Amino acid sequence: MNASTPTPTGALAGIKVLDLSRVLAGPWATQMLADLGADVIKVERPVAGDDTRHWGPPFLKDGAGSDTREASYFTACNRNKRSITVDMAHPEGRALLQRMAQEADVVVENFKTGGLAQYGLDYESLKTLNPRLIYCSITGFGQDGPYAERAGYDLRVQAMCGLMSITGHADGEPGGGPLKVGVAVIDVFTGLYASNAILAALNARDNARNGTGQGQYIDMALLDVGMAVLANQAAGFLATDKAPGRAGNIHPSLAPYQDFPTQDGNVLLAIGNDGQFARFCAAIGQDDWAQDARFATNTARVQNRAALLDLMKPQMLRRTTTDWIALLEDKAVPCGPINTVAQAFEDPQVQARGILKTLPRNAGDGISAVATVANPMRLSGTPVTYRSAPPALGQHTEEVLREFGLDTDSITALHQQGVV
């Protein structure tokens, strides 16, 4: 795109991204690219915008502390982007987006399979205009197969891929039954996989040694990702042909690796090897446990988990959570609190790492700043930048259009026609 680069630094400085995605998976991917320095132009529907702008409460506050009409959900995955509004159903809007794609490095979209072909914004149409284009489609079930036409939702995929079947307490226990993860993790993981795929495609195109100079198509499916992130649970099933079940916070292959009630709450023990277990036993004056053949090795502890927990649970109730952490912290026995989100942000390590970022916003909508969570990637030479808060709807429409050579009269005409 002929758009001027908002920042001269960053690992992806000079990369232009046309973001046609909305909700979470696609925007998470493009925010990752934006954090790394890419110029991401977020295309939204006039008036309505991205669905998540309205997914509240909670809503952002204005200067007087009153709710605005901007949902906080949107801010989770849209910083460092420029928002423009374009009606792709209008011929002028379609032409405008095609012109942008002609000069883009990357297009990301999450419409239903084949949904953009009618607008001439599908990969086959755009690659003829721009052979260097990397085009990433994110759908629920991929571009082929019997479910290709189905809409994709994180909760639906958590259920289908088996994640809910291994999350939550076992049947028969209090609160037992399948449970979704508290964050839309399939969407988030899909965004991460998508951004990795895009980076790989950029390298394949531009690598100085063997770059092809050509773009390519990326087919990302939530269900594929859901199956992939089953990780060791999937590996265990494939090795045994036995489907894993729900076990609450117990680790299926480690013991003791779970939460325990304490005198005043709960504490998390994450003992991952025999040395840690021996040090734990010594700390509580139960050295004989580590010598007991039932508990001497991790495999034995897993096989005799019930007997081990019968011994441990009364011991864990003798101290407060704080006392347990103080006792074990200097003995290299992994132990910690089970925080609320509020407590997590108050944690001294979280504060020391600068996880909370507050970005000023000057969009004329009464919202002066937006709090956001730092990108966890810390690159020494090309660090992540925090250039701008998540934008207001259409905040940069005129700015971007002018960068494409449109004058005031042309922009006014587009507004009058409802194109932008």
Short mmCIF file of all heavy atoms in Angstrom, two decimals, residues 131-134 201 204-206 211-216:
data_model
loop_
_atom_site.label_atom_id
_atom_site.label_comp_id
_atom_site.label_asym_id
_atom_site.label_seq_id
_atom_site.Cartn_x
_atom_site.Cartn_y
_atom_site.Cartn_z
N PRO A 131 0.53 -10.90 -7.33
CA PRO A 131 1.08 -12.25 -7.16
C PRO A 131 1.91 -12.42 -5.88
O PRO A 131 2.14 -13.54 -5.44
CB PRO A 131 1.94 -12.46 -8.41
CG PRO A 131 1.42 -11.47 -9.40
CD PRO A 131 0.97 -10.29 -8.60
N ARG A 132 2.36 -11.32 -5.31
CA ARG A 132 3.17 -11.38 -4.08
C ARG A 132 2.30 -11.46 -2.82
O ARG A 132 2.82 -11.58 -1.72
CB ARG A 132 4.09 -10.16 -3.98
CG ARG A 132 5.21 -10.14 -5.00
CD ARG A 132 6.01 -8.85 -4.94
NE ARG A 132 6.49 -8.55 -3.60
CZ ARG A 132 7.56 -9.08 -3.04
NH1 ARG A 132 8.28 -9.97 -3.72
NH2 ARG A 132 7.95 -8.73 -1.83
N LEU A 133 1.01 -11.43 -2.99
CA LEU A 133 0.10 -11.34 -1.84
C LEU A 133 0.06 -12.64 -1.04
O LEU A 133 -0.10 -13.73 -1.60
CB LEU A 133 -1.31 -11.00 -2.33
CG LEU A 133 -2.37 -10.80 -1.23
CD1 LEU A 133 -2.05 -9.56 -0.40
CD2 LEU A 133 -3.75 -10.67 -1.86
N ILE A 134 0.18 -12.51 0.27
CA ILE A 134 -0.04 -13.63 1.20
C ILE A 134 -1.43 -13.47 1.76
O ILE A 134 -1.76 -12.42 2.35
CB ILE A 134 1.03 -13.62 2.31
CG1 ILE A 134 2.39 -13.96 1.70
CG2 ILE A 134 0.67 -14.60 3.41
CD1 ILE A 134 3.56 -13.50 2.52
N ALA A 201 5.28 -17.53 5.50
CA ALA A 201 5.02 -17.21 4.09
C ALA A 201 5.80 -15.98 3.66
O ALA A 201 6.30 -15.91 2.52
CB ALA A 201 3.52 -17.01 3.88
N ALA A 204 9.28 -17.18 3.11
CA ALA A 204 9.37 -17.96 1.87
C ALA A 204 9.38 -17.05 0.64
O ALA A 204 10.04 -17.34 -0.36
CB ALA A 204 8.21 -18.95 1.79
N ARG A 205 8.68 -15.95 0.73
CA ARG A 205 8.62 -15.01 -0.38
C ARG A 205 9.88 -14.16 -0.49
O ARG A 205 10.40 -13.92 -1.58
CB ARG A 205 7.40 -14.09 -0.22
CG ARG A 205 7.10 -13.19 -1.41
CD ARG A 205 6.04 -12.16 -1.06
NE ARG A 205 6.55 -11.12 -0.16
CZ ARG A 205 5.80 -10.10 0.30
NH1 ARG A 205 4.52 -10.03 -0.02
NH2 ARG A 205 6.33 -9.21 1.11
N ASP A 206 10.38 -13.70 0.67
CA ASP A 206 11.39 -12.64 0.67
C ASP A 206 12.78 -13.08 1.11
O ASP A 206 13.70 -12.26 1.12
CB ASP A 206 10.94 -11.50 1.58
CG ASP A 206 9.64 -10.86 1.11
OD1 ASP A 206 9.35 -10.94 -0.10
OD2 ASP A 206 8.91 -10.29 1.95
N GLY A 211 14.23 -17.00 -1.58
CA GLY A 211 12.87 -16.51 -1.65
C GLY A 211 12.26 -16.67 -3.03
O GLY A 211 12.94 -16.50 -4.04
N THR A 212 10.98 -17.00 -3.05
CA THR A 212 10.31 -17.24 -4.33
C THR A 212 9.81 -15.96 -4.97
O THR A 212 9.52 -15.93 -6.18
CB THR A 212 9.10 -18.16 -4.13
OG1 THR A 212 8.12 -17.49 -3.30
CG2 THR A 212 9.52 -19.46 -3.47
N GLY A 213 9.65 -14.90 -4.16
CA GLY A 213 9.07 -13.67 -4.68
C GLY A 213 7.57 -13.76 -4.86
O GLY A 213 6.94 -12.78 -5.29
N GLN A 214 6.98 -14.90 -4.52
CA GLN A 214 5.55 -15.13 -4.72
C GLN A 214 4.82 -15.26 -3.39
O GLN A 214 5.36 -15.79 -2.41
CB GLN A 214 5.33 -16.40 -5.54
CG GLN A 214 5.94 -16.36 -6.93
CD GLN A 214 5.30 -15.29 -7.79
OE1 GLN A 214 4.09 -15.29 -8.00
NE2 GLN A 214 6.11 -14.38 -8.32
N GLY A 215 3.57 -14.82 -3.38
CA GLY A 215 2.73 -15.02 -2.22
C GLY A 215 2.16 -16.43 -2.19
O GLY A 215 2.51 -17.28 -3.02
N GLN A 216 1.28 -16.67 -1.25
CA GLN A 216 0.62 -17.97 -1.18
C GLN A 216 -0.64 -17.87 -0.33
O GLN A 216 -0.89 -16.85 0.32
CB GLN A 216 1.54 -19.05 -0.62
CG GLN A 216 2.09 -18.78 0.78
CD GLN A 216 3.02 -19.90 1.24
OE1 GLN A 216 2.58 -21.02 1.47
NE2 GLN A 216 4.31 -19.58 1.38
#
